Amino acid sequence: MASDWQPDFEQLVDEHQSMVFSLALRMTGDRGLAEEIAQDVFMELDGHIAKIESQQHAIFWLRRVTISRSTDALRRRRVRGIDLWVEMDDNHATPVEVQSTPLGSRLESLLSTLPEAQRAALILRYQEDLTPEEIAATLGAPLATVKSQLQRGLKLLRAKAESELKEYIRAV
Amino acid sequence: MQFEQPFEHIDEFERELREGLERRAAPPSLKRKVMERRRHERKRQRSRMIWFERIAALLVVASVAGSVVAGHYAIERRKGEEAKQQVFTALRITNHAFQVMNRQLQERDRNSQ
């Protein structure tokens, strides 16, 4: 029962830090910024914890706020005229995780070149395994828009991957 | 080779994408930093609350003192008003007594003439 659920902040941080950090990292492509966003999101959760009704509500809230704060951070950076991706390459290049396949890792880095809305939809679809309906609810966007973003994002990513990997295969 | 025909099936592409987008472990320091920030924030809120309480207490004391002073002035003013009324009453009585005396004197004058 939702009313029986007592939110434990520390436990929520423990359970969902990887989700929040990964969402922020894939949205921004910057480890340092992603960690800052994750901290801010959890601080915001602390302020709203009385309104959180269940574990599912907490997860939904965290995904929604993380995507939103990441988008805000990217916008702020753009306004300040900082080229985030150049900065990422210079300072915060993320090491390839050992559990990822080489193609998976390359797809992950290619994802960062997609438009924000498509990136957010694809991250929620393939990292969080959400349905288009759940993504629409999380992003507060119409279902048709989300479906279109998923299709366009996937198509664009596939096209980028094909051209990039052909070059890679040629080089190998 | 794995990269030669990677996109024959959309499912394969999506599977690779899903594998590429597995959740990353958060930095080990993240939880500690969040909990520290939370403690710091709580402390700041507490000290802010203490200041609010002090200001509220000061306002209560000031309003109590103000109302005591205002009450005292009201009492003094009322006493002044009462004294003024008493003086007026005394003057009216005196005036009345003078009028009576004046009438009696006039009557006596008339009788003596």
Side-chain angles (χ1 to χ4, degrees), chain B residues 55-69:
Chain B
I55 290 167
L58 206 68
L59 287 174
V60 167
V61 168
S63 65
V64 166
S67 56
V68 165
V69 170

Side-chain angles (χ1 to χ4, degrees), chain A residues 152-167:
Chain A
R152 283 188 198 172
L154 210 53
K155 195 176 166 187
L156 187 57
L157 189 64
R158 198 181 298 118
K160 281 174 183 259
E162 277 183 12
S163 88
E164 173 141 321
L165 291 178
K166 270 177 198 163
E167 284 174 24

Side-chain angles (χ1 to χ4, degrees), chain B residues 7 16 29 66 73 77 86-87 91 103 106 113:
Chain B
F7 310 124
E16 289 287 354
S29 59
Y73 277 125
R77 205 180 306 125
Q86 282 172 0
V87 170
L91 285 173
R103 264 201 306 274
Q106 281 173 349
Q113 282 171 2

Side-chain angles (χ1 to χ4, degrees), chain A residues 9-10 14 17-19 21-22 25-26 35 39-40 43 46 97 99 101-104 107-108 111 126-129 154 157-158 161-162 165 168-169, chain B residues 1-7 10 12-31 33-35 37-39 41-42:
Chain A
F9 180 75
E10 195 170 349
D14 244 345
Q17 57 178 337
S18 149
M19 175 187 79
F21 174 73
S22 301
L25 177 64
R26 272 153 191 157
E35 195 177 348
Q39 284 182 35
D40 291 344
M43 291 309 292
D46 189 35
E97 298 284 312
Q99 67 265 30
T101 62
L103 178 59
L107 287 177
E108 184 190 11
L111 187 75
Y126 295 102
Q127 180 191 294
E128 294 302 310
D129 218 10
L154 210 53
L157 189 64
R158 198 181 298 118
E162 277 183 12
L165 291 178
Y168 175 76
I169 290 161
Chain B
M1 192 173 180
Q2 193 184 4
F3 294 138
E4 280 172 354
Q5 300 286 330
F7 310 124
I10 189 167
E12 177 66 14
F13 181 78
E14 287 183 315
R15 192 184 59 76
E16 289 287 354
L17 184 57
R18 186 163 280 130
E19 278 179 24
L21 293 186
E22 273 177 6
R23 284 183 187 171
R24 296 272 184 91
S29 59
L30 178 64
K31 186 185 167 190
K33 286 179 183 170
V34 168
M35 299 313 285
R37 269 183 69 174
R38 187 182 186 227
R39 260 193 301 278
E41 187 60 30
R42 289 273 157 95

